[in-house]
Amino acid sequence: GESVGLHLPTLSVQEGDNSIINCAYSNSASDYFIWYKQESGKGPQFIIDIRSNMDKRQGQRVTVLLNKTVKHLSLQIAATQPGDSAVYFCAESGGGADGLTFGKGTHLIIQP
Amino acid sequence: DSGVTQTPKHLITATGQRVTLRCSPRSGDLSVYWYQQSLDQGLQFLIQYYNGEERAKGNILERFSAQQFPDLHSELNLSSLELGDSALYFCASSRETGYQPQHFGDGTRLSIL
């Protein structure tokens, strides 16, 4: 079946730099996308979401970009901090179904 | 703290047994979802309930069942347990259905010996 995937399993960035985490999806019916952060021993924590009628949405230090033409989603984290170290998942739903399809996750490592 | 409460945090049992996992959604949330997270399969959607009724099924085995009670808490029942059922089981909730962010609890870690 169709699924959401991530390009890189691990991303290492310097503290203070910007981080960009990418995600590709294949389901053309997907119209709702969410980024989650998961720390060790915790459940996925909601970061930001975007609907398919938008191509950009900003939150506090985070921006999500959606390119429907190439079915690509990205999460930008500004001024990365040690507390941003976690596994980041993109997830999508669509076609009237609410159950989320998750990507495999990117482990963000912050270098001091 | 997401506001979603799951109990127990850890569960250790043997093959062939049956267990029940419990979830209390965030106050005011009507929709409850169950997910399984394992190293080989990642995070997978199992089932969704909305206001007491089953709304959608994902990759849920026939040995697994769930329900949502009038007070909106939910239980996931896993029976005839196999070694491969060892995983983290997460519950999430959202206010309504549709374009709603789902908020996750911290999961129940199930270990089958």
Side-chain angles (χ1 to χ4, degrees):
Chain A
E2 296 179 304
S3 64
V4 179
L6 285 161
H7 293 320
L8 295 173
T10 302
L11 176 65
S12 183
V13 299
Q14 292 289 126
E15 183 178 347
D17 287 351
N18 296 336
S19 302
I20 300 176
I21 302 171
N22 294 303
C23 180
Y25 65 96
S26 57
N27 186 351
S28 301
S30 297
D31 57 3
Y32 182 56
F33 303 87
I34 308 179
W35 281 99
Y36 284 95
K37 169 187 180 182
Q38 187 175 24
E39 297 173 289
S40 182
K42 302 270 192 181
Q45 176 188 349
F46 170 78
I47 301 173
I48 192 167
D49 59 354
I50 188 168
R51 290 182 59 172
S52 59
N53 60 355
M54 302 175 69
D55 53 20
K56 180 179 180 178
R57 192 159 188 230
Q58 289 184 291
Q60 188 175 14
R61 280 202 307 119
V62 294
T63 301
V64 56
L65 298 177
L66 175 63
N67 185 331
K68 295 179 288 294
T69 303
V70 295
K71 298 192 184 70
H72 184 268
L73 189 70
S74 68
L75 177 70
Q76 300 178 5
I77 305 173
T80 311
Q81 303 168 357
D84 295 328
S85 182
V87 177
Y88 289 79
F89 293 94
C90 62
E92 55 88 10
S93 66
D98 294 333
L100 294 172
T101 299
F102 280 82
K104 295 191 187 303
T106 293
H107 186 193
L108 180 63
I109 298 171
I110 314 302
Q111 304 282 0
Chain B
D1 183 9
S2 68
V4 177
T5 304
Q6 289 188 247
T7 56
K9 291 191 187 304
H10 303 279
L11 203 47
I12 302 173
T13 189
T15 55
Q17 295 299 304
R18 172 189 170 94
V19 296
T20 297
L21 313 184
R22 182 187 168 99
C23 169
S24 294
R26 292 188 320 162
S27 178
D29 284 3
L30 298 176
S31 198
V32 169
Y33 311 78
W34 286 97
Y35 291 84
Q36 180 194 61
Q37 186 175 37
S38 62
L39 282 175
D40 54 343
Q41 297 292 327
L43 264 162
Q44 292 209 309
F45 167 65
L46 296 178
I47 196 165
Q48 176 194 7
Y49 277 80
Y50 175 73
N51 204 20
E53 300 289 327
E54 182 185 302
R55 178 167 170 84
K57 274 188 172 180
N59 299 321
I60 189 166
L61 300 172
E62 286 191 12
R63 301 183 285 109
F64 296 0
S65 64
Q67 51 186 329
Q68 186 180 27
F69 295 86
D71 67 352
L72 301 177
H73 91 270
S74 179
E75 293 181 354
L76 178 67
N77 300 297
L78 314 177
S79 62
S80 302
L81 287 168
E82 302 175 359
L83 293 176
D85 297 328
S86 294
L88 273 166
Y89 291 85
F90 288 105
C91 169
S93 71
S94 64
R95 195 74 58 191
E96 290 284 345
T97 61
Y99 305 105
Q100 304 270 314
Q102 296 174 28
H103 299 274
F104 284 73
D106 284 338
T108 293
R109 181 175 292 279
L110 177 63
S111 298
I112 313 299
L113 302 180

mmCIF file of all heavy atoms in Angstrom, chain B residues 11-19 36 38 61-64 77-89 110-113:
data_model
loop_
_atom_site.group_PDB
_atom_site.id
_atom_site.type_symbol
_atom_site.label_atom_id
_atom_site.label_comp_id
_atom_site.label_asym_id
_atom_site.label_seq_id
_atom_site.Cartn_x
_atom_site.Cartn_y
_atom_site.Cartn_z
ATOM 1 N N LEU B 11 3.696 -3.912 30.770
ATOM 2 C CA LEU B 11 2.943 -5.148 30.949
ATOM 3 C C LEU B 11 3.805 -6.292 30.455
ATOM 4 O O LEU B 11 4.298 -6.252 29.320
ATOM 5 C CB LEU B 11 1.637 -5.067 30.153
ATOM 6 C CG LEU B 11 0.442 -5.934 30.521
ATOM 7 C CD1 LEU B 11 0.167 -5.906 31.996
ATOM 8 C CD2 LEU B 11 -0.762 -5.485 29.726
ATOM 9 N N ILE B 12 4.001 -7.270 31.307
ATOM 10 C CA ILE B 12 4.773 -8.449 30.920
ATOM 11 C C ILE B 12 3.859 -9.655 31.094
ATOM 12 O O ILE B 12 3.279 -9.855 32.161
ATOM 13 C CB ILE B 12 6.031 -8.621 31.789
ATOM 14 C CG1 ILE B 12 6.915 -7.380 31.690
ATOM 15 C CG2 ILE B 12 6.807 -9.867 31.368
ATOM 16 C CD1 ILE B 12 8.104 -7.394 32.640
ATOM 17 N N THR B 13 3.759 -10.446 30.040
ATOM 18 C CA THR B 13 2.898 -11.617 30.106
ATOM 19 C C THR B 13 3.460 -12.724 29.223
ATOM 20 O O THR B 13 4.545 -12.570 28.650
ATOM 21 C CB THR B 13 1.455 -11.246 29.720
ATOM 22 O OG1 THR B 13 0.584 -12.351 29.996
ATOM 23 C CG2 THR B 13 1.369 -10.883 28.251
ATOM 24 N N ALA B 14 2.745 -13.798 29.108
ATOM 25 C CA ALA B 14 3.241 -14.958 28.367
ATOM 26 C C ALA B 14 2.408 -15.187 27.105
ATOM 27 O O ALA B 14 1.294 -14.659 26.969
ATOM 28 C CB ALA B 14 3.192 -16.195 29.250
ATOM 29 N N THR B 15 2.955 -15.971 26.215
ATOM 30 C CA THR B 15 2.219 -16.304 24.998
ATOM 31 C C THR B 15 0.914 -17.000 25.349
ATOM 32 O O THR B 15 0.818 -17.713 26.349
ATOM 33 C CB THR B 15 3.035 -17.223 24.075
ATOM 34 O OG1 THR B 15 3.430 -18.391 24.815
ATOM 35 C CG2 THR B 15 4.283 -16.516 23.559
ATOM 36 N N GLY B 16 -0.098 -16.725 24.539
ATOM 37 C CA GLY B 16 -1.407 -17.324 24.740
ATOM 38 C C GLY B 16 -2.315 -16.570 25.687
ATOM 39 O O GLY B 16 -3.516 -16.853 25.740
ATOM 40 N N GLN B 17 -1.754 -15.607 26.406
ATOM 41 C CA GLN B 17 -2.537 -14.864 27.389
ATOM 42 C C GLN B 17 -3.339 -13.743 26.722
ATOM 43 O O GLN B 17 -3.203 -13.453 25.525
ATOM 44 C CB GLN B 17 -1.630 -14.287 28.467
ATOM 45 C CG GLN B 17 -0.937 -15.338 29.303
ATOM 46 C CD GLN B 17 -1.915 -16.220 30.055
ATOM 47 O OE1 GLN B 17 -2.752 -15.746 30.817
ATOM 48 N NE2 GLN B 17 -1.825 -17.525 29.834
ATOM 49 N N ARG B 18 -4.158 -13.094 27.567
ATOM 50 C CA ARG B 18 -4.993 -11.971 27.121
ATOM 51 C C ARG B 18 -4.728 -10.793 28.048
ATOM 52 O O ARG B 18 -4.588 -10.978 29.269
ATOM 53 C CB ARG B 18 -6.460 -12.370 27.196
ATOM 54 C CG ARG B 18 -7.455 -11.259 26.946
ATOM 55 C CD ARG B 18 -8.872 -11.727 27.266
ATOM 56 N NE ARG B 18 -9.813 -10.636 27.267
ATOM 57 C CZ ARG B 18 -10.542 -10.269 26.220
ATOM 58 N NH1 ARG B 18 -10.435 -10.930 25.082
ATOM 59 N NH2 ARG B 18 -11.380 -9.248 26.306
ATOM 60 N N VAL B 19 -4.643 -9.588 27.455
ATOM 61 C CA VAL B 19 -4.418 -8.382 28.251
ATOM 62 C C VAL B 19 -5.370 -7.287 27.795
ATOM 63 O O VAL B 19 -5.890 -7.315 26.671
ATOM 64 C CB VAL B 19 -2.958 -7.868 28.139
ATOM 65 C CG1 VAL B 19 -1.981 -8.882 28.714
ATOM 66 C CG2 VAL B 19 -2.620 -7.518 26.699
ATOM 67 N N GLN B 36 0.139 0.898 17.141
ATOM 68 C CA GLN B 36 1.176 -0.012 17.598
ATOM 69 C C GLN B 36 2.512 0.473 17.048
ATOM 70 O O GLN B 36 2.596 0.836 15.870
ATOM 71 C CB GLN B 36 0.888 -1.428 17.085
ATOM 72 C CG GLN B 36 1.919 -2.468 17.502
ATOM 73 C CD GLN B 36 1.768 -3.760 16.701
ATOM 74 O OE1 GLN B 36 1.890 -3.752 15.486
ATOM 75 N NE2 GLN B 36 1.501 -4.868 17.389
ATOM 76 N N SER B 38 6.457 -0.758 16.667
ATOM 77 C CA SER B 38 7.465 -1.798 16.802
ATOM 78 C C SER B 38 8.654 -1.426 15.942
ATOM 79 O O SER B 38 8.544 -0.599 15.030
ATOM 80 C CB SER B 38 6.908 -3.160 16.381
ATOM 81 O OG SER B 38 6.528 -3.140 15.011
ATOM 82 N N LEU B 61 -5.293 -6.889 14.021
ATOM 83 C CA LEU B 61 -5.478 -8.324 13.904
ATOM 84 C C LEU B 61 -6.841 -8.726 14.472
ATOM 85 O O LEU B 61 -7.400 -8.048 15.321
ATOM 86 C CB LEU B 61 -4.366 -9.053 14.675
ATOM 87 C CG LEU B 61 -2.933 -8.785 14.217
ATOM 88 C CD1 LEU B 61 -1.937 -9.413 15.181
ATOM 89 C CD2 LEU B 61 -2.712 -9.300 12.805
ATOM 90 N N GLU B 62 -7.332 -9.876 14.024
ATOM 91 C CA GLU B 62 -8.620 -10.368 14.529
ATOM 92 C C GLU B 62 -8.543 -10.718 16.004
ATOM 93 O O GLU B 62 -9.563 -10.699 16.695
ATOM 94 C CB GLU B 62 -9.057 -11.589 13.717
ATOM 95 C CG GLU B 62 -9.557 -11.233 12.331
ATOM 96 C CD GLU B 62 -10.244 -12.398 11.639
ATOM 97 O OE1 GLU B 62 -10.522 -13.402 12.313
ATOM 98 O OE2 GLU B 62 -10.497 -12.285 10.434
ATOM 99 N N ARG B 63 -7.345 -11.028 16.495
ATOM 100 C CA ARG B 63 -7.147 -11.335 17.921
ATOM 101 C C ARG B 63 -7.254 -10.084 18.797
ATOM 102 O O ARG B 63 -7.289 -10.183 20.019
ATOM 103 C CB ARG B 63 -5.773 -11.966 18.137
ATOM 104 C CG ARG B 63 -5.545 -13.250 17.373
ATOM 105 C CD ARG B 63 -4.192 -13.852 17.705
ATOM 106 N NE ARG B 63 -3.077 -13.159 17.092
ATOM 107 C CZ ARG B 63 -2.202 -12.419 17.750
ATOM 108 N NH1 ARG B 63 -2.314 -12.234 19.052
ATOM 109 N NH2 ARG B 63 -1.195 -11.842 17.117
ATOM 110 N N PHE B 64 -7.263 -8.941 18.181
ATOM 111 C CA PHE B 64 -7.314 -7.675 18.912
ATOM 112 C C PHE B 64 -8.704 -7.066 18.755
ATOM 113 O O PHE B 64 -9.323 -7.155 17.684
ATOM 114 C CB PHE B 64 -6.286 -6.681 18.372
ATOM 115 C CG PHE B 64 -4.845 -7.095 18.534
ATOM 116 C CD1 PHE B 64 -4.475 -8.291 19.120
ATOM 117 C CD2 PHE B 64 -3.829 -6.246 18.067
ATOM 118 C CE1 PHE B 64 -3.141 -8.647 19.259
ATOM 119 C CE2 PHE B 64 -2.493 -6.596 18.205
ATOM 120 C CZ PHE B 64 -2.150 -7.801 18.795
ATOM 121 N N ASN B 77 -8.135 -4.697 23.751
ATOM 122 C CA ASN B 77 -7.991 -6.057 24.227
ATOM 123 C C ASN B 77 -7.151 -6.868 23.241
ATOM 124 O O ASN B 77 -7.455 -6.906 22.043
ATOM 125 C CB ASN B 77 -9.370 -6.709 24.367
ATOM 126 C CG ASN B 77 -10.255 -5.954 25.339
ATOM 127 O OD1 ASN B 77 -9.955 -5.857 26.519
ATOM 128 N ND2 ASN B 77 -11.345 -5.381 24.835
ATOM 129 N N LEU B 78 -6.120 -7.499 23.756
ATOM 130 C CA LEU B 78 -5.232 -8.312 22.935
ATOM 131 C C LEU B 78 -5.298 -9.738 23.468
ATOM 132 O O LEU B 78 -5.046 -9.969 24.657
ATOM 133 C CB LEU B 78 -3.795 -7.791 23.014
ATOM 134 C CG LEU B 78 -3.593 -6.275 22.882
ATOM 135 C CD1 LEU B 78 -2.119 -5.925 23.062
ATOM 136 C CD2 LEU B 78 -4.084 -5.771 21.541
ATOM 137 N N SER B 79 -5.636 -10.699 22.615
ATOM 138 C CA SER B 79 -5.790 -12.068 23.085
ATOM 139 C C SER B 79 -4.883 -13.016 22.305
ATOM 140 O O SER B 79 -4.318 -12.651 21.273
ATOM 141 C CB SER B 79 -7.249 -12.502 22.962
ATOM 142 O OG SER B 79 -7.660 -12.485 21.601
ATOM 143 N N SER B 80 -4.774 -14.225 22.836
ATOM 144 C CA SER B 80 -3.921 -15.266 22.222
ATOM 145 C C SER B 80 -2.573 -14.677 21.833
ATOM 146 O O SER B 80 -2.115 -14.795 20.689
ATOM 147 C CB SER B 80 -4.613 -15.872 20.995
ATOM 148 O OG SER B 80 -5.855 -16.419 21.333
ATOM 149 N N LEU B 81 -1.961 -14.030 22.802
ATOM 150 C CA LEU B 81 -0.764 -13.248 22.524
ATOM 151 C C LEU B 81 0.379 -14.090 21.978
ATOM 152 O O LEU B 81 0.593 -15.242 22.395
ATOM 153 C CB LEU B 81 -0.321 -12.514 23.789
ATOM 154 C CG LEU B 81 -1.214 -11.337 24.157
ATOM 155 C CD1 LEU B 81 -0.907 -10.849 25.561
ATOM 156 C CD2 LEU B 81 -1.054 -10.205 23.157
ATOM 157 N N GLU B 82 1.095 -13.484 21.032
ATOM 158 C CA GLU B 82 2.256 -14.111 20.406
ATOM 159 C C GLU B 82 3.480 -13.248 20.680
ATOM 160 O O GLU B 82 3.362 -12.067 21.001
ATOM 161 C CB GLU B 82 2.018 -14.255 18.904
ATOM 162 C CG GLU B 82 0.781 -15.067 18.559
ATOM 163 C CD GLU B 82 0.499 -15.092 17.060
ATOM 164 O OE1 GLU B 82 1.265 -14.449 16.294
ATOM 165 O OE2 GLU B 82 -0.488 -15.742 16.659
ATOM 166 N N LEU B 83 4.657 -13.852 20.507
ATOM 167 C CA LEU B 83 5.891 -13.105 20.743
ATOM 168 C C LEU B 83 5.930 -11.821 19.908
ATOM 169 O O LEU B 83 6.401 -10.779 20.365
ATOM 170 C CB LEU B 83 7.101 -13.981 20.430
ATOM 171 C CG LEU B 83 7.334 -15.176 21.351
ATOM 172 C CD1 LEU B 83 8.511 -16.009 20.848
ATOM 173 C CD2 LEU B 83 7.576 -14.715 22.781
ATOM 174 N N GLY B 84 5.419 -11.908 18.697
ATOM 175 C CA GLY B 84 5.450 -10.766 17.791
ATOM 176 C C GLY B 84 4.538 -9.619 18.190
ATOM 177 O O GLY B 84 4.591 -8.554 17.583
ATOM 178 N N ASP B 85 3.717 -9.838 19.198
ATOM 179 C CA ASP B 85 2.849 -8.752 19.668
ATOM 180 C C ASP B 85 3.579 -7.820 20.624
ATOM 181 O O ASP B 85 3.031 -6.778 21.013
ATOM 182 C CB ASP B 85 1.609 -9.334 20.370
ATOM 183 C CG ASP B 85 0.746 -10.162 19.445
ATOM 184 O OD1 ASP B 85 0.692 -9.840 18.238
ATOM 185 O OD2 ASP B 85 0.134 -11.146 19.917
ATOM 186 N N SER B 86 4.788 -8.182 21.003
ATOM 187 C CA SER B 86 5.583 -7.303 21.860
ATOM 188 C C SER B 86 5.813 -5.991 21.125
ATOM 189 O O SER B 86 6.338 -5.974 20.003
ATOM 190 C CB SER B 86 6.928 -7.954 22.183
ATOM 191 O OG SER B 86 6.752 -9.107 22.972
ATOM 192 N N ALA B 87 5.417 -4.903 21.753
ATOM 193 C CA ALA B 87 5.486 -3.589 21.095
ATOM 194 C C ALA B 87 5.040 -2.532 22.088
ATOM 195 O O ALA B 87 4.630 -2.832 23.207
ATOM 196 C CB ALA B 87 4.569 -3.546 19.864
ATOM 197 N N LEU B 88 5.137 -1.277 21.629
ATOM 198 C CA LEU B 88 4.536 -0.158 22.346
ATOM 199 C C LEU B 88 3.160 0.082 21.752
ATOM 200 O O LEU B 88 3.014 0.136 20.521
ATOM 201 C CB LEU B 88 5.378 1.097 22.165
ATOM 202 C CG LEU B 88 6.531 1.321 23.127
ATOM 203 C CD1 LEU B 88 7.456 2.395 22.600
ATOM 204 C CD2 LEU B 88 6.011 1.701 24.503
ATOM 205 N N TYR B 89 2.174 0.240 22.605
ATOM 206 C CA TYR B 89 0.816 0.519 22.146
ATOM 207 C C TYR B 89 0.435 1.914 22.624
ATOM 208 O O TYR B 89 0.466 2.214 23.810
ATOM 209 C CB TYR B 89 -0.161 -0.530 22.666
ATOM 210 C CG TYR B 89 0.070 -1.873 22.011
ATOM 211 C CD1 TYR B 89 1.036 -2.743 22.517
ATOM 212 C CD2 TYR B 89 -0.606 -2.240 20.858
ATOM 213 C CE1 TYR B 89 1.297 -3.956 21.894
ATOM 214 C CE2 TYR B 89 -0.366 -3.455 20.236
ATOM 215 C CZ TYR B 89 0.597 -4.301 20.764
ATOM 216 O OH TYR B 89 0.856 -5.500 20.134
ATOM 217 N N LEU B 110 4.303 -3.490 25.996
ATOM 218 C CA LEU B 110 3.886 -4.878 26.193
ATOM 219 C C LEU B 110 5.029 -5.813 25.833
ATOM 220 O O LEU B 110 5.561 -5.740 24.719
ATOM 221 C CB LEU B 110 2.668 -5.187 25.320
ATOM 222 C CG LEU B 110 2.158 -6.627 25.351
ATOM 223 C CD1 LEU B 110 1.667 -6.998 26.742
ATOM 224 C CD2 LEU B 110 1.059 -6.823 24.313
ATOM 225 N N SER B 111 5.396 -6.654 26.767
ATOM 226 C CA SER B 111 6.459 -7.631 26.536
ATOM 227 C C SER B 111 5.878 -9.023 26.700
ATOM 228 O O SER B 111 5.281 -9.335 27.737
ATOM 229 C CB SER B 111 7.603 -7.439 27.532
ATOM 230 O OG SER B 111 8.180 -6.163 27.374
ATOM 231 N N ILE B 112 6.041 -9.839 25.673
ATOM 232 C CA ILE B 112 5.548 -11.216 25.701
ATOM 233 C C ILE B 112 6.736 -12.147 25.885
ATOM 234 O O ILE B 112 7.687 -12.113 25.088
ATOM 235 C CB ILE B 112 4.812 -11.583 24.398
ATOM 236 C CG1 ILE B 112 3.815 -10.488 24.011
ATOM 237 C CG2 ILE B 112 4.124 -12.940 24.534
ATOM 238 C CD1 ILE B 112 2.742 -10.229 25.014
ATOM 239 N N LEU B 113 6.685 -12.950 26.930
ATOM 240 C CA LEU B 113 7.815 -13.849 27.215
ATOM 241 C C LEU B 113 7.526 -15.261 26.717
ATOM 242 O O LEU B 113 6.369 -15.680 26.602
ATOM 243 C CB LEU B 113 8.083 -13.865 28.723
ATOM 244 C CG LEU B 113 8.391 -12.495 29.348
ATOM 245 C CD1 LEU B 113 8.644 -12.644 30.820
ATOM 246 C CD2 LEU B 113 9.585 -11.848 28.650
#
